[in-house]
Amino acid sequence: MEKLNEIVSAVDGFVWGPVMLVLLVGTGIFLTIRTGFLPWRNLGYALKSTLSKEARTKSRGTGDVSPFSALTTALAATIGTGNIVGVATAMVSGGPGALVWMWISAAFGLTSKFSECMLAIKYREVNAKGEMSGGPMYTMKKAFKHKKFGAVLGWLFALFAVIASFGIGNMTQANSISESLSSTFSVPTYVTGIILTVFALLIIVGGIKTISKVSSVVVPLMAIFYVVAGLIVIIVNIQNLPAGVVMIFKMAFSVKAVGGGLCGTITAAMMNAMRFGVARGVFSNEAGMGSAAITAAAATTDNPVRQGYINMTGTFWDTIVVCTITGLCIASSGVLGITENSTKGSYQVSGTEVTVEAVDSDNKTTTTDYTYEFTDDQLILTDTSNSSNTLTLSVLSSDELNKDENTKLASELVVEESQAAIGSLTGTWTDAAGNHYTFAEDGTFACSTVIKGAALTILSFGSALGKVGGWLVTIGIVLFAFSTILGWEYHGEKAFEYLFKSHKYNMIYRIVFSLVVYVGATISLDLVWNFSDIANALMAIPNLICLLALSGEIAKDIKEFQAVIKAEKASK
């Protein structure tokens, strides 16, 4: 099983690697140019349409739900833990500059989101129950001239969507909720699992109309709640905001690795910022993945382009608004690069070898033999049993040694740190990721790892709001993740319906999907998560092929709609 985990993890790293990210963003760039930048030029029109009273009604055209409900249901699936956990992870792994690359990927993602949603409405069908059924799978089946090729692509997309719905859209989210409630409020995971399952059943069994009703209330409220709380944090730390913004842009476009200032020991260059920023941006707003198009197909509209504009604002709200709030909270609070104790133990030196025996936070003891050498201003530790396992460490600056107040904020167990010197192991060293390794004079060893993910966002909110900040972030995770479960259920259900060519089994899918929520909340399933993550990435491949193949049609339809926009503006 461990070997299988390694294989699946390696495949997951490959499919979410540079090639996939280039394809996703590259398709967005190509479509943006081919459409004459109209999605950018009409963003104001799109936002105005989204917030209009008419968007909340079913007065224009045909469909199952209002245009606004279709958007909020799609947003329910995209505004999730990625907005809280993903942003923090990206800013630690890629430096604060990753936030800029999230914005850039979102800018081109607007066109990808518009295109897939517009096509889904154009080629949607009405099933035997009288409900709308659409999405990339229907677009591929009906729009491709080579019908067999289109049918195969559509079937593959639907299969990957069903798999992803149970993993990324269900178990991962339920687990995030149970873990956050357990760590913040000490709620047992099984209690969380039962409550989540009951609520999921009550809402999901009602289908798209019930899901959209809940989403149209919960999504705007949770987004406003999180944005307001985030703005309070930013205002309290306003004195650090200018320096934080400068640091974000400096680290986004610096060819050489830079750091310092508010980002602690974290250093990163442009390529790193680009890699993690684009990855987390795409993962958060799902532009180019094709998932949001399934929900868009249920919208009541008289023109596919009109609803395409409304649905593309999902990328704006998700990344440009919500992710930015998280990023600015972290950048202005001074918590980036803070470490917490993760491993403690002892070390013994014998010639050019050092043996480290340490106990981690799970009380697991490991003993590792290293050879060590000093090269220029660095300490090189090489595992004697695995020469590829090498640690390259630098002297921790005196400025970082004095961040006692922040270190205490991160952990009650503060490591007694002293500045290291080349030629001696004694002191505290840091690696490229900002983790600290302390070799004390009395033979004790400690490793402090950089805080990231939800813990970092909680820390940033706590800098201004104390314990209440942690509660607010936890509540945000619960609401964001649960809404993702609701949105992804509809995505998976419609893909399931496409695979079986009938709506008759949809209720079985709804019940099974709701019960799986309990499994996700109570059991850690790394293999399933990685596998579903792969399926999520593989959804994008047929969808991107579809968008590129139909790019001419997309450009033609969006340009023709310009006359409608001009007429509407002239009549007001």
Side-chain angles (χ1 to χ4, degrees), residues 16-87:
W16 274 108
V19 175
M20 175 59 75
L21 298 178
V22 167
L23 282 172
L24 282 162
V25 179
T27 300
I29 293 171
F30 173 75
L31 291 171
T32 301
I33 294 170
R34 183 143 198 193
T35 55
F37 293 87
L38 283 173
W40 291 9
R41 288 155 57 189
N42 290 325
L43 179 59
Y45 165 81
L47 291 170
K48 194 173 180 181
S49 298
T50 301
L51 301 173
S52 68
K53 287 183 179 179
E54 188 180 64
R56 289 169 172 76
T57 68
K58 293 164 63 178
S59 60
R60 195 198 294 259
T62 56
D64 296 332
V65 298
S66 71
F68 183 75
S69 292
L71 170 64
T72 53
T73 305
L75 271 175
T78 55
I79 295 185
T81 53
N83 299 78
I84 296 175
V85 180
V87 175

Side-chain angles (χ1 to χ4, degrees), residues 300-315:
T300 300
T301 187
D302 63 341
N303 192 301
V305 177
R306 188 189 304 281
Q307 186 61 33
Y309 274 128
I310 289 175
N311 264 87
M312 86 170 186
T313 64
T315 299

Side-chain angles (χ1 to χ4, degrees), residues 30-217:
F30 173 75
L31 291 171
T32 301
I33 294 170
R34 183 143 198 193
T35 55
F37 293 87
L38 283 173
W40 291 9
R41 288 155 57 189
N42 290 325
L43 179 59
Y45 165 81
L47 291 170
K48 194 173 180 181
S49 298
T50 301
L51 301 173
S52 68
K53 287 183 179 179
E54 188 180 64
R56 289 169 172 76
T57 68
K58 293 164 63 178
S59 60
R60 195 198 294 259
T62 56
D64 296 332
V65 298
S66 71
F68 183 75
S69 292
L71 170 64
T72 53
T73 305
L75 271 175
T78 55
I79 295 185
T81 53
N83 299 78
I84 296 175
V85 180
V87 175
T89 301
M91 291 181 74
V92 169
S93 302
L99 189 61
V100 173
W101 289 100
M102 290 181 80
W103 296 335
I104 292 170
S105 71
F108 293 108
L110 283 172
T111 313
S112 299
K113 186 68 70 77
F114 164 84
S115 302
E116 60 197 21
C117 292
M118 186 273 285
L119 289 171
I121 298 158
K122 186 174 182 178
Y123 292 104
R124 64 186 178 181
E125 297 177 357
V126 179
N127 66 17
K129 200 177 177 182
E131 295 175 337
M132 292 294 177
S133 294
M137 55 278 196
Y138 288 93
T139 302
M140 295 165 200
K141 183 181 77 171
K142 297 173 73 174
F144 276 44
K145 290 180 181 177
H146 195 297
K147 297 300 179 186
K148 193 167 185 179
F149 179 63
V152 170
L153 278 184
W155 190 88
L156 287 172
F157 175 88
L159 176 66
F160 294 137
V162 170
I163 295 171
S165 73
F166 281 102
I168 297 298
N170 185 325
M171 287 192 285
T172 306
Q173 307 300 327
N175 196 266
S176 296
I177 294 172
S178 64
E179 280 189 358
S180 59
L181 288 177
S182 176
S183 61
T184 305
F185 300 115
S186 301
V187 179
T189 55
Y190 76 89
V191 173
T192 302
I194 292 169
I195 294 171
L196 286 178
T197 303
V198 170
F199 274 104
L201 271 169
L202 289 172
I203 298 167
I204 288 170
V205 167
I208 182 61
K209 292 184 179 177
T210 307
I211 291 172
S212 68
K213 280 180 183 176
V214 173
S215 297
S216 62
V217 174

Side-chain angles (χ1 to χ4, degrees), residues 255-497:
V255 178
K256 292 183 178 180
V258 293
L262 290 172
C263 58
T265 54
I266 293 174
T267 59
M270 185 177 77
M271 290 307 295
N272 230 26
M274 186 189 301
R275 177 190 164 199
F276 287 99
V278 171
R280 299 320 305 180
V282 167
F283 193 79
S284 177
N285 59 53
E286 296 182 15
M289 308 296 293
S291 51
I294 299 173
T295 307
T300 300
T301 187
D302 63 341
N303 192 301
V305 177
R306 188 189 304 281
Q307 186 61 33
Y309 274 128
I310 289 175
N311 264 87
M312 86 170 186
T313 64
T315 299
F316 174 85
W317 300 117
D318 176 277
T319 307
I320 305 299
V321 177
V322 181
C323 287
T324 299
I325 290 293
T326 302
L328 292 180
C329 284
I330 293 169
S332 64
S333 59
V335 299
L336 195 60
I338 287 179
T339 61
E340 63 179 345
N341 291 343
S342 59
T343 307
K344 280 192 168 186
S346 61
Y347 74 98
Q348 284 186 328
V349 178
S350 176
T352 58
E353 290 189 5
V354 57
T355 300
V356 177
E357 185 177 308
V359 181
D360 63 19
S361 54
D362 295 324
N363 289 323
K364 183 181 177 183
T365 303
T366 57
T367 302
T368 311
D369 293 316
Y370 294 98
T371 58
Y372 71 92
E373 61 177 319
F374 299 97
T375 306
D376 297 327
D377 58 348
Q378 293 180 322
L379 164 65
I380 312 294
L381 292 173
T382 305
D383 189 339
T384 56
S385 62
N386 181 8
S387 58
S388 63
N389 183 18
T390 302
L391 276 173
T392 302
L393 307 177
S394 303
V395 174
L396 188 68
S397 70
S398 55
D399 290 342
E400 291 308 312
L401 287 172
N402 295 327
K403 290 183 89 174
D404 288 343
E405 185 180 340
N406 284 340
T407 308
K408 286 172 183 172
L409 179 66
S411 171
E412 293 177 5
L413 300 169
V414 183
V415 178
E416 289 294 330
E417 296 179 337
S418 59
Q419 194 165 1
I422 298 298
S424 170
L425 276 175
T426 307
T428 300
W429 306 81
T430 181
D431 61 17
N435 302 311
H436 296 176
Y437 304 82
T438 300
F439 295 89
E441 289 183 4
D442 61 0
T444 57
F445 168 82
C447 176
S448 303
T449 53
V450 171
I451 296 175
K452 56 186 175 182
L456 182 62
T457 308
I458 287 172
L459 209 57
S460 69
F461 274 64
S463 70
L465 303 170
K467 280 189 176 180
V468 175
W471 299 343
L472 291 175
V473 173
T474 300
I475 293 168
I477 289 173
V478 171
L479 291 174
F480 283 18
F482 186 69
S483 71
T484 298
I485 292 172
L486 299 182
W488 260 99
E489 188 285 329
Y490 184 72
H491 294 166
E493 178 185 316
K494 283 300 173 183
F496 186 80
E497 179 183 316

